């Protein structure tokens, strides 16, 4: 306490089991029967402790968890009041699990992300719980405070999926919507209700004895009767009875409901405290959590931290929230009663208490708490200003749900009456993909900003420009992004720390959106510059989510430099995302799909498929159209390389549907169109391919990609001379190209045309030129896609690229599905014992490296055996080899 004061005797006594019960303090009783009941209940998969406020739920859980006992791990989480954001709930739960498991320093602490996927964190929580070998208990208190329906649904899934040896205890004031009925039917749900939590008359007498309060038996019985065994009522009664001049009269005079009893006892207790304790309790009761500095501010005194520590030591309804005992909260019921007393005795001072609290939270970077207190003070204009300033930063902090809840706290008015909040609405709309609503709100915000003071106008302009960029990017309206580029916020000096942080958030977000849009417009040099600047700034201001987002797109933006650089930058982004646990989040999907593209281009088809699958899982159907189009385009490359042309066309059609919903044209759209035409021609749909070409304008038709596709049509029509005419502007460099693949494809198609014309020398020269272009990045895809790899076998090449030729042939022979001429229905050649051993593994899901490990041989040996198996069985791929092996009774009809 403050100097000169010591805790009064009535604050040294406490009723019922409390947070400090494990410390063996006098004045506490263990309630052994109730703890034993929880012990028995906790052996079920889930235990639900459901009872009204003041029933002793938290005290019971703390006593049960803190006592010495068997070797077990307990993760304890108290849900913060008004928790609206699923992300913060799950990250807090993950942190509690890691602390209990002793792994908190092993992995990077979880970080927030606007693109949060609760299912991913739920899986991580489940995985870390499962990894703990000792009995593990998950204890969640105050679940009724969780305002996120999504989080509640995910928690229900977690609780019903707990593995053997893991148990959960959930405490709440009302039954939650967790869908635990299956556990109830299976006998794996235990329930503790208010009736079981009530003190017995014997426990009431034990409590009085433990606190040195002497009452006649009939008075003790009356106290139990009056309180009905209600834990909070007994705690308040004991605090008031300590040192009371007439305890019998005290017990006899009060009666009624829990609230009436509590209010009476609270007033009785407050009146007996020193003035500084009364002042602190009442004036800080309007806070969800309090520390010494805040308490000093609201009381105008010093020494508040000492008072709070003494109150917690006395178990007087004060609970420390952190191991260092710097932040505290009041028992929920106690806090509510204090606030009631504050409204009764000091109503005129309440707004003046909220305002300094708001300033303190704002100065300490806790904008959401500051806005809440401004709203409570009725200072709506300042609350709107602060929320508008911080709306982007709060969303980046993963508090999108909180922003929506704060919006709901303003009085119902039209947008014209408080247009400044239109920017907050626009931000919330954007992150829920309500793009039309966001556009309408941004229009209102722009009109409002034009009427404000110059300093305010600049700040709003920066925020509006940042959200305009995001809206244009999400719509695929790329020209609009470049129109907004002039409004890009610049670094400023002479600002406060808070203002610099806000400006940093907005500038980084703007650089990200501008760089991404430049990438989708194939302005790759500009994109690379802005994304590098954005990543560096994000790193400096401590925004890992924005840093990962910039780096995730940087790989694609490096595509005009080298495939090696693309791959290295993708790997850098993937490593940073994994460090923060974002390996399956949408933010990293651009790096995943670009990395898959590099693997497919270099012939690593199996690995490319794995990364494509990851990118697909991370890409949301309503997400950014630029990323979705890229996913479909890269997904088309793989079946094209394998000759699966129908699958290729399906992916290209999906890319076309994405483009149809975009307001602008994606830079990759020409490539999508070209590959669509070429695939149609290769499928024999020449008329359809020509119809697709016919609708293109002259500018598009003159590009290298479209001319290359037109050459494929000519080859399909057995017009090699026409194909060479189409290819000439591509080969001499006069036709603009958008992809480093296009010149290689053009040379290979030219080689095929020369072959068809009987010009083997020309074909060889064209192939050699393609090999020269492909060599630096070991480019294999064009040879597989065009079918020109067959020329490497039939032409007598004198090449300086023999190693690349060998690699290309190894890849396509092992991975390209067989054509009709490669299948054989006759008897197979005899397989050697080693080849038979490898054949046995082909029906499994094992990869070639895994087969090599199983057989204790090198990967090269496995590849050699598989090539020979394919040749002897007349098969072109793994599935046809398995089918042929079954037909010849070399394999069983079941899985190998």
């Amino acid at each position: 306490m403050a100097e000169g004061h010591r805790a009064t005797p009535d604050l040294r006594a406490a009723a019922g089991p409390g947070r400090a019960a494990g410390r063996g303090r006098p004045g506490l009783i263990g309630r052994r029967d109730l703890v034993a009941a929880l012990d028995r209940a906790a052996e079920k998969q889930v235990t639900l402790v459901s009872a009204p406020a003041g029933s002793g739920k938290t005290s019971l859980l703390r006593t049960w968890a803190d006592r010495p006992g068997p070797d077990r791990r307990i993760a304890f989480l108290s849900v913060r009041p008004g928790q609206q954001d699923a992300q913060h709930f799950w990250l807090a739960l993950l942190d509690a699990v890691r602390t209990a498991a002793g792994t908190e320093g092993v992995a990077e602490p979880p970080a927030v992300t606007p693109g949060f996927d609760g299912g991913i964190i739920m899986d991580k929580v489940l995985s870390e719980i499962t990894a703990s070998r000792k009995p593990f208990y998950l204890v969640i208190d105050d679940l009724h405070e969780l305002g996120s329906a999504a989080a509640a649904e995910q928690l229900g899934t977690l609780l019903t999926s707990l593995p053997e040896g893991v148990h959960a205890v959930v405490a709440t004031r009302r039954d939650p919507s967790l869908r635990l009925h299956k556990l109830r039917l299976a006998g794996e749900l235990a329930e503790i209700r208010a009736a079981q939590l009530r003190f017995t008359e014997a426990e009431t007498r034990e409590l009085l004895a433990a606190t040195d309060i002497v009452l006649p038996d009939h008075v003790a019985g009356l106290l139990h009767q009056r309180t009905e065994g209600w834990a909070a009522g007994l705690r308040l009664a004991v605090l008031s009875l300590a040192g009371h001049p007439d305890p019998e009269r005290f017990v006899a005079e009060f009666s009624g409901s829990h609230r009436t009893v509590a209010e009476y006892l609270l007033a009785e207790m407050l009146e007996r405290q020193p003035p500084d304790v009364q002042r602190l309790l009442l004036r800080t009761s309007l806070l969800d959590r309090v520390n010494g500095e805040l308490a000093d501010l609201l009381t105008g005194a010093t020494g508040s931290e000492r008072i709070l520590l003494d109150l917690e030591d006395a178990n007087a309804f004060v609970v420390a929230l952190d191991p260092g005992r710097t932040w505290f909260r009041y028992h929920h019921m106690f806090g509510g009663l204090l606030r009631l007393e504050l409204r009764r005795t000091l109503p005129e001072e309440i707004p003046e208490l909220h305002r300094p609290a708001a300033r303190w939270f704002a100065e300490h970077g806790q904008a959401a708490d500051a806005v809440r207190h401004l709203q409570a003070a009725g200072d709506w204009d300042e609350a709107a200003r602060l929320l508008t300033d911080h709306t982007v930063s709060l969303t980046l902090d993963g508090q999108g749900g909180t922003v929506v809840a704060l919006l709901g706290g303003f009085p119902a008015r039209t947008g014209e009456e408080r247009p400044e909040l239109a920017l907050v609405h626009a931000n919330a709309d954007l992150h829920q993909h309500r793009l039309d609503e966001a556009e309408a709100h941004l229009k209102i915000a722009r009109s409002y900003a034009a009427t404000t003071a110059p300093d305010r106008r600049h700040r709003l302009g920066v925020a509006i420009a940042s959200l305009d960029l995001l809206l244009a990017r999400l719509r695929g309206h790329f020209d609009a992004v470049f129109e907004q580029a002039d409004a890009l916020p610049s670094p400023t000096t002479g600002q406060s720390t808070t203002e610099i942080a806000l400006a940093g958030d907005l500038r980084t977000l703007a650089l990200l959106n501008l760089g991404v849009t430049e990438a989708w417009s194939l302005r790759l040099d500009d994109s690379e510059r802005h994304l590098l600047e954005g990543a560096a700034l994000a790193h400096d201001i401590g925004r890992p989510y924005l840093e990962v987002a910039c780096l995730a797109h940087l790989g694609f933006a490096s595509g005009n430099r080298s495939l090696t650089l693309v791959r290295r930058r993708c790997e850098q982004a993937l490593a940073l995302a994994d460090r923060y646990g974002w390996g399956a989040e949408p933010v990293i999907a651009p790096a995943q799909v670009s990395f898959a593209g590099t693997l497919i281009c270099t012939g690593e088809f199996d690995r490319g498929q794995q990364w494509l699958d990851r990118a697909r899982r991370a890409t949301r159907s309503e997400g950014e159209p630029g990323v979705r189009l890229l996913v479909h385009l890269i997904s088309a490359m793989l079946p094209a390389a394998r000759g699966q042309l129908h699958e290729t066309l399906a992916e290209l059609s999906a890319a076309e549907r994405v483009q149809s919903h975009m307001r602008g044209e994606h830079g990759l759209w020409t490539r999508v169109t070209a590959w669509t035409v070429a695939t149609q021609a290769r499928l024999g749909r020449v008329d359809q391919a020509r119809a697709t070409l016919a609708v293109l304008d002259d500018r598009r038709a003159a590009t290298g990609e479209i001319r290359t596709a037109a050459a494929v049509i000519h080859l399909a029509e057995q017009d090699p001379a026409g194909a060479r005419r189409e290819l000439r502007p591509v080969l001499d460099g006069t036709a603009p190209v958008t992809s480093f693949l296009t010149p290689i494809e053009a040379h290979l198609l030219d080689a095929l045309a020369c072959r068809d014309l009987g010009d083997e020398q020309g074909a060889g020269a064209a192939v050699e030129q393609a090999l020269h272009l492909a060599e630096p990045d070991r480019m294999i895809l064009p040879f597989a896609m065009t079918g020109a790899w067959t020329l490497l076998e039939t032409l007598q090449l004198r090449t300086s690229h023999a190693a690349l030729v060998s690699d290309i042939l190894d890849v396509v022979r092992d991975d390209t599905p067989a054509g009709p001429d490669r299948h054989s229905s006759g008897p197979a050649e005899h397989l050697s014992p080693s080849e038979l051993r490898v054949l046995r593994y082909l029906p499994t899901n094992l990869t070639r490296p895994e087969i090599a490990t199983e057989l204790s041989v090198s990967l090269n040996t496995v590849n050699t055996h598989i090539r020979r198996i394919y040749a002897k069985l007349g098969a072109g791929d793994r599935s046809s080899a398995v089918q042929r092996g079954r037909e010849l009774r070399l394999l069983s009809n079941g899985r190998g």
Side-chain angles (χ1 to χ4, degrees), residues 419-439:
E420 191 172 54
L421 283 176
L423 185 69
V424 186
H425 283 287
N427 182 62
D429 291 334
L430 283 170
H431 286 86
Q432 296 177 60
H433 292 274
R434 297 197 302 259
L435 303 187
D436 291 340
E437 293 88 338
E439 190 169 25

Side-chain angles (χ1 to χ4, degrees), residues 55-326:
S55 298
K57 300 181 297 294
T58 298
S59 296
L60 172 62
L61 295 184
R62 291 287 186 183
T63 301
W64 177 80
D66 289 348
R67 70 203 165 109
D71 194 13
R72 58 182 181 170
R73 299 183 186 277
I74 298 178
F76 201 113
L77 173 68
S78 293
V79 181
R80 282 193 59 180
Q83 181 60 270
Q84 298 293 331
D85 297 293
Q87 177 166 198
H88 286 266
F89 167 76
W90 280 110
L91 292 181
L93 186 58
L94 177 60
D95 184 59
V97 167
R98 286 178 170 175
T99 300
T103 60
E104 65 271 24
V106 176
E108 186 77 19
V112 293
T113 160
F116 173 73
D117 186 339
I120 294 172
I121 300 296
M122 183 196 75
D123 290 341
K124 188 180 292 292
V125 168
L126 187 59
S127 174
E128 301 218 10
I129 290 174
T130 304
S132 180
R133 297 181 180 179
K134 298 178 181 178
F136 200 101
Y137 293 87
L138 194 61
V139 181
I140 303 175
D141 193 16
D142 294 330
L143 185 62
H144 54 273
E145 296 287 359
L146 184 60
S148 167
E153 181 177 351
Q154 292 153 358
L155 179 61
T157 302
L158 174 72
L159 295 179
T160 55
S161 306
L162 295 177
E164 187 176 354
V166 179
H167 311 273
V169 181
V170 177
T172 176
R173 290 184 188 176
R174 55 186 177 272
D175 283 7
S177 302
L178 297 178
R179 299 181 181 178
L180 302 178
H181 54 280
K182 291 184 179 179
L183 291 178
R184 183 179 285 112
L185 291 173
E188 285 297 330
L189 177 66
E191 300 177 73
I192 295 178
R193 301 285 177 175
Q196 295 162 271
L197 291 168
R198 293 192 185 105
F199 274 58
T200 65
E201 186 169 338
E203 286 175 326
T204 301
R205 296 179 191 279
E206 184 183 351
L207 173 63
L208 292 169
T211 50
D212 296 326
I213 296 173
V214 179
L215 292 176
D217 286 349
H218 72 282
V219 177
L222 181 60
L223 177 63
H224 178 263
Q225 181 183 346
R226 289 279 196 255
T227 60
E228 298 180 346
W230 182 42
L234 283 169
R235 290 182 71 186
L236 283 165
V238 167
L239 287 170
S240 296
L241 283 167
H244 195 285
D246 191 350
E248 292 189 40
R249 181 179 60 82
F250 173 87
V251 172
E253 282 183 353
F254 74 85
S255 63
S257 67
H258 285 180
R259 175 169 292 277
T260 303
V261 172
E263 290 172 5
Y264 173 74
L265 294 174
L266 176 63
E268 180 80 12
M269 185 188 74
L270 276 176
E271 290 173 2
R272 301 175 62 198
Q273 304 313 312
D276 56 348
V277 176
Q278 288 190 44
R279 185 177 179 84
L280 182 146
L281 290 171
L282 287 176
R283 289 171 174 265
T284 61
S285 64
L286 49 77
L287 301 168
D288 288 334
R289 53 201 173 97
V290 63
N291 63 14
E293 185 178 341
L294 253 176
D296 283 347
L297 177 67
L298 297 189
T299 60
T302 59
S304 298
E305 184 175 49
R306 184 67 262 163
I307 294 176
L308 290 167
L309 288 168
D310 279 355
L311 288 171
E312 201 225 359
D313 286 340
N315 201 32
F317 298 95
V318 178
V319 179
L321 296 175
D322 58 312
R325 300 175 73 198
T326 56

Side-chain angles (χ1 to χ4, degrees), residues 92 171 339 562 607 821 866:
R339 287 188 288 275
S562 80
R607 287 190 66 207
D821 58 322
I866 290 177

Side-chain angles (χ1 to χ4, degrees), residues 510-531:
L511 287 167
L512 167 65
N513 292 324
L514 182 58
V516 170
T517 304
E518 288 166 337
W520 299 151
S521 302
L522 298 185
R523 296 167 55 168
L524 299 184
D525 289 338
D526 292 335
S527 172
E528 184 180 36
R529 183 177 73 257
H530 286 131
L531 290 173

Side-chain angles (χ1 to χ4, degrees), residues 832-866:
S832 70
S834 296
E835 290 163 356
L836 282 169
R837 290 178 66 206
V838 172
L839 177 65
R840 299 293 191 272
Y841 283 93
L842 295 189
T844 71
N845 290 324
L846 295 179
T847 64
R848 294 185 181 194
E850 289 170 339
I851 294 173
T853 299
E854 290 289 323
L855 294 174
S856 300
V857 297
S858 70
L859 176 60
N860 188 52
T861 298
V862 170
N863 287 335
T864 300
H865 286 326
I866 290 177

Side-chain angles (χ1 to χ4, degrees), residues 520 522 629 633 652-660 664-676 696 700 706 738:
W520 299 151
L522 298 185
L629 189 145
L633 182 63
L652 294 171
S653 297
E656 183 177 355
R657 288 193 295 273
V658 173
Q659 174 64 72
S660 68
E665 184 178 290
H666 199 294
L668 295 174
W669 179 236
T670 298
R671 200 182 310 177
V672 171
T673 305
W675 282 358
T676 299
L696 300 179
R700 178 79 59 77
I706 298 301
T738 62

